[in-house]
Amino acid sequence: MSATERVRMKVSLAVQVIDGFTARPITGAGCRLRIAGAGPPLVRREGYRVFVNLPEGEWTLHIESPCYYLKTLTVKPGELEPGSPVIKVRMMPDSTYPVPPGATGVRGRAGAGRLVQLVCRDKGGHYKLLLEYDRPGLSHSIAIYNPDGLDLDGRRFLIEDREGVNREYFTILHTAAGEDKCSRMDRALEHSYKKIGARVTPVYTTRADQYGNFFLIFPQGERAGGEYDVSEEGPGGRRTPVILEAGRINDIQLKEV
C-alpha cells in the first residue's frame, strides 16, 4: 500500500470471522461480509476483513458463508475500543456442516426464524469475575477469570449476581493483551457485580429456519453435556430445562411456558 493510499484510508472496522465449532478463523473466499453503502472489505491475514472510510453512525454488518447460519449484527462505533476497532464474530454451523463423530449438539423445532439459546446450569459450566464490575451504565470493560485461556472473543454470556436478582446478557467483542485480560463488551451493564458471588455463564445461540427446525453444535474441546435451560425468543416463547448427553446430537422438545 502506497503512502498516498494510507493517507486516504482510515480503518473504521476490522472483523475476524470465527468458526463457532473449531474456533478457527474462516478464511475462504466463500465468506462474504457486507455493510450497506460501503465498499468490499480488504482481506488481511488470519481472516481479518477490514472496512475503511465507513460513514458516521451505526453500521449493519451482514455475514454469510457456506455451512453456517447467516449473521446480521449492528455495530456501534462508540462501543469499539478507541484506536483499535476490532471485533470477532463467531459463525454457528448449520445442519449442512460436516459434524465429526463425537460432537455434542442439539436439534429440535421452534417458531420459524426465532432465536433459540442454551444456558448451562451445571456449576462446572460457569466463569467468575477477575475484577469487580463497579461502573454500571458507563464501562464497556469486564475482566473474566479464564484459567484455561480459552478465546472468549465473539462469545455471548449471561452474568448474574449471587442472589440471582440481577441478570444481563452481553457479547465480548475483543480482549486486550496484557495481564488483566480486560474484555470489551458490546454494551455497558446496567448493574454492579461483585467479584465474589457473580456468575458468568456462556450462552449458545442458534436460529430456527423458515420451517422451524434448529440445529446447534457446541464448540470443539469445550465441556458439553449436563443441565441446560433452552429458551425461544419472542412473544409466547417456550422454555424448558434439558439434560444433554455429551458426544451425540440430542433431540429436544421445547415446552409451553
Side-chain angles (χ1 to χ4, degrees), residues 12-235:
S12 301
L13 177 67
V15 184
Q16 187 179 44
V17 183
I18 303 292
D19 181 314
F21 177 66
T22 65
R24 298 181 185 134
I26 301 174
T27 58
C31 181
R32 297 188 292 273
L33 284 71
R34 175 174 58 85
I35 292 177
L42 306 174
V43 179
R44 295 293 183 254
R45 292 185 302 173
E46 299 182 340
Y48 280 98
R49 274 77 169 182
V50 180
F51 289 92
V52 299
N53 301 337
L54 290 177
E56 295 184 1
E58 298 180 357
W59 310 312
T60 301
L61 174 64
H62 304 275
I63 308 176
E64 58 180 303
S65 189
C67 299
Y68 301 90
Y69 287 104
L70 298 176
K71 191 140 193 174
T72 299
L73 63 154
T74 300
V75 181
K76 300 178 181 179
E79 294 173 350
L80 302 175
E81 190 72 31
S84 182
V86 178
I87 64 173
K88 291 185 180 180
V89 179
R90 293 182 185 259
M91 299 290 283
M92 298 308 300
D94 64 20
S95 58
T96 66
Y97 188 89
V99 180
T104 303
V106 298
R107 62 189 169 201
R109 289 184 60 80
R114 288 202 175 187
L115 184 74
V116 177
Q117 66 179 24
L118 288 80
V119 179
C120 181
R121 283 309 177 195
D122 285 351
K123 289 184 178 179
H126 306 311
Y127 291 92
K128 299 178 181 179
L129 289 181
L130 184 63
L131 302 170
E132 290 189 2
Y133 180 83
D134 56 4
R135 298 181 62 204
L138 297 174
S139 178
H140 285 69
S141 181
I142 192 168
I144 297 175
Y145 179 58
N146 180 17
D148 296 328
L150 296 176
D151 183 2
L152 304 183
D153 291 358
R155 297 284 296 272
R156 183 169 169 82
F157 293 90
L158 169 65
I159 186 169
E160 302 169 279
D161 59 19
R162 183 194 293 270
E163 297 77 19
V165 175
N166 296 320
R167 58 199 312 269
E168 304 177 62
Y169 293 96
F170 66 91
T171 298
I172 291 180
L173 300 178
H174 181 65
T175 301
E179 294 183 1
D180 58 4
K181 296 291 184 182
C182 282
S183 300
R184 185 81 175 179
M185 299 182 290
D186 64 334
R187 57 184 291 263
L189 301 178
E190 297 177 5
H191 305 281
S192 296
Y193 293 92
K194 299 291 186 182
K195 176 181 176 181
I196 304 299
R199 182 169 58 184
V200 181
T201 310
V203 177
Y204 305 93
T205 61
T206 185
R207 190 174 293 278
D209 64 18
Q210 59 181 327
Y211 305 108
N213 299 308
F214 66 83
F215 173 80
L216 181 146
I217 54 175
F218 290 88
Q220 188 177 47
E222 291 192 20
R223 176 189 179 280
E227 183 178 353
Y228 289 78
D229 278 341
V230 185
S231 60
E232 175 188 32
E233 184 186 62

Side-chain angles (χ1 to χ4, degrees), residues 102-106 245-251:
T104 303
V106 298
E245 181 181 339
R248 63 183 294 267
I249 304 300
N250 297 256
D251 291 294

